[in-house]
Amino acid sequence: MCQQISDTQKKKVLSCIQPSGMLTLGNYLGALKNWVSMQDEFDCTFAVADLHAITVRQEPSELRARIYSTYALLLALGIDPEKNILFIQSQVPEHTALSWILSCNTQFGEMSRMTQFKDKSAKHPENINVGLFSYPVLMAADILLYKPDLVPVGADQKQHLEIARDIAIRFNNKYGEVFTVPEAYIPKTGARVMSLQDPSKKMSKSDDNPNAWVAILDSRDDIIRKFKRAVTDSEACVRFSPEKPGISNLITIYSAVTGKSAEQVEREFDGKGYGDFKLAVGETVADALAPVKQRYDEIIKDKKALETLYREGAQKASKTASKTYFKAMKKVGFVI
Ligand code: TRP
């Protein structure tokens, strides 16, 4: 009984991640590690945002493999599909349906200000599709369907969360209360991991230089090799400082994995060279990721079990999503 009461009092969290077979250490330390720890404190809904993925061109068979592998990786990281709702976005059609209603209540002008659209369309001038433009409305639908109190987002998605809030407030004012206006959630721990080759840039799987990023599923040897090659400086002193972005990035990574503070790390490597430090970071990261990779390899082998889980996840998600969607339909004047 007490358990039940405390469960209903838990705040609701929603987050989604785009499917990529190559989620990086940056995704892990910046976001996914927090998903895992949020499961106890909050009532969580997590999705693989595959609808978002087709705003850029995808090879269908590769996309399918990446959706499976992302779902499997979330399980391998320890997201419990019993405790949380864990689903694949395209399997819950209310996302696209609500997105249409919201699109008709979103102004072209406000969408034109989205910096990610400007960046992405500059990068892919050959495929500036309407979906790329209206992507934040779909993201607003992802969020608003589940009425979360909190949405953990990184800096690059803050503007999109803002617009989701604006859309919710405006809709509620115009038609009556349907949506909860969510807050951004900045987790207590959440490392911003930079490229190992150019620490002024965020670690990204789209980096041309494969030594710049570590995939969660990289082999132990690859992980250690990439850390050995990480760009540093010539001072040979393990110290956290804006003037030492390479070493600071490695300290951030080591701290995030071990839970030690930057000062503790500095003390631990006092008087030691960069070679020792880089090796220690590489080994520590490899040790932390090894069980994830092992679980992943098991999970991805059993497609049937995976299918059962994502179908159940979609059913659970649909329950909440369809309630909110019907409410929105009624409010705008559709016949149910
Ligand atoms: N747009 C997000 C990204 O590219 C992924 C995403 C889709 C998302 N829907 C969401 C994140 C809803 C939070 C909430 O990273």
Side-chain angles (χ1 to χ4, degrees):
M1 187 64 182
C2 287
Q3 188 56 36
Q4 255 176 0
I5 290 169
S6 78
D7 271 357
T8 58
Q9 284 170 344
K10 278 185 184 172
K11 285 204 164 160
K12 284 201 237 169
V13 164
L14 173 126
S15 200
C16 308
I17 188 154
Q18 292 206 32
S20 154
M22 285 292 172
L23 289 171
T24 68
L25 181 66
N27 297 122
Y28 176 56
L29 296 179
L32 297 174
K33 202 163 176 273
N34 288 315
W35 286 22
V36 178
S37 51
M38 282 185 304
Q39 301 180 88
D40 296 322
E41 198 179 338
F42 301 111
D43 178 4
C44 299
T45 301
F46 297 124
V48 176
D50 56 346
L51 295 171
H52 280 84
I54 62 166
T55 53
V56 296
R57 290 221 170 84
Q58 300 283 348
E59 172 58 42
S61 61
E62 279 174 21
L63 176 62
R64 189 168 300 117
R66 282 208 298 271
I67 295 168
Y68 276 121
S69 88
T70 305
Y71 194 95
L73 186 57
L74 294 176
L75 293 170
L77 286 168
I79 306 284
D80 182 346
E82 296 290 324
K83 217 189 233 175
N84 313 283
I85 302 180
L86 178 60
F87 71 103
I88 299 170
Q89 182 192 25
S90 65
Q91 302 198 332
V92 180
E94 284 81 4
H95 288 246
T96 36
L98 181 64
S99 153
W100 176 252
I101 295 180
L102 299 182
S103 289
C104 299
N105 286 279
T106 305
Q107 296 304 303
F108 187 85
E110 60 185 336
M111 293 295 284
S112 309
R113 289 194 290 271
M114 296 292 109
T115 53
Q116 194 176 66
F117 171 72
K118 291 188 210 165
D119 293 348
K120 284 200 177 172
S121 50
K123 243 193 225 161
H124 302 281
E126 74 298 342
N127 184 21
I128 307 178
N129 62 76
V130 177
L132 189 67
F133 183 73
S134 61
Y135 161 124
V137 181
L138 178 61
M139 181 162 156
D142 299 340
I143 296 169
L144 300 179
L145 280 173
Y146 300 92
K147 303 191 173 176
D149 302 291
L150 303 169
V151 179
V153 281
D156 60 331
Q157 296 298 324
K158 255 188 121 178
Q159 200 183 23
H160 295 161
L161 180 61
E162 273 306 312
I163 206 154
R165 286 167 48 89
D166 291 346
I167 292 171
I169 293 168
R170 216 177 310 133
F171 190 100
N172 287 347
N173 286 341
K174 187 162 177 196
Y175 300 102
E177 286 296 311
V178 176
F179 302 123
T180 301
V181 181
E183 302 285 336
Y185 177 66
I186 315 290
K188 285 167 229 121
T189 56
R192 189 167 152 80
V193 177
M194 312 306 281
S195 155
L196 297 183
Q197 291 297 314
D198 175 0
S200 67
K201 287 196 306 197
K202 211 175 128 176
M203 180 179 281
S204 162
K205 59 183 173 290
S206 48
D207 203 307
D208 292 334
N209 184 347
N211 289 321
W213 53 280
V214 169
I216 297 177
L217 297 174
D218 267 349
S219 71
R220 181 178 186 83
D221 287 353
D222 280 345
I223 295 173
I224 292 174
R225 183 177 43 79
K226 288 180 190 181
F227 277 103
K228 276 189 185 160
R229 292 191 186 168
V231 165
T232 51
D233 55 68
S234 54
E235 195 200 26
C237 169
V238 177
R239 185 166 58 85
F240 193 95
S241 150
E243 283 126 52
K244 295 163 69 69
I247 283 294
S248 299
N249 186 36
L250 297 182
I251 295 177
T252 301
I253 293 170
Y254 191 71
S255 297
V257 176
T258 58
K260 294 176 186 166
S261 69
E263 296 78 49
Q264 282 174 314
V265 179
E266 287 176 353
R267 244 175 286 134
E268 185 177 342
F269 291 93
D270 188 24
K272 299 218 172 101
Y274 284 170
D276 289 343
F277 180 51
K278 289 198 226 178
L279 182 64
V281 181
E283 284 180 341
T284 305
V285 170
D287 287 345
L289 296 180
V292 176
K293 187 167 163 51
Q294 202 182 350
R295 277 197 297 272
Y296 173 85
D297 289 342
E298 289 293 309
I299 293 167
I300 200 73
K301 269 195 292 199
D302 193 347
K303 281 270 160 64
K304 266 259 141 328
L306 202 57
E307 196 179 306
T308 307
L309 289 178
Y310 69 66
R311 291 235 169 104
E312 282 172 7
Q315 270 171 13
K316 279 204 262 176
S318 272
K319 260 196 189 159
T320 308
S322 61
K323 264 192 221 149
T324 312
Y325 178 60
F326 279 127
K327 222 169 158 187
M329 275 182 85
K330 268 202 265 180
K331 292 283 189 195
V332 296
F334 292 147
V335 174
I336 307 278

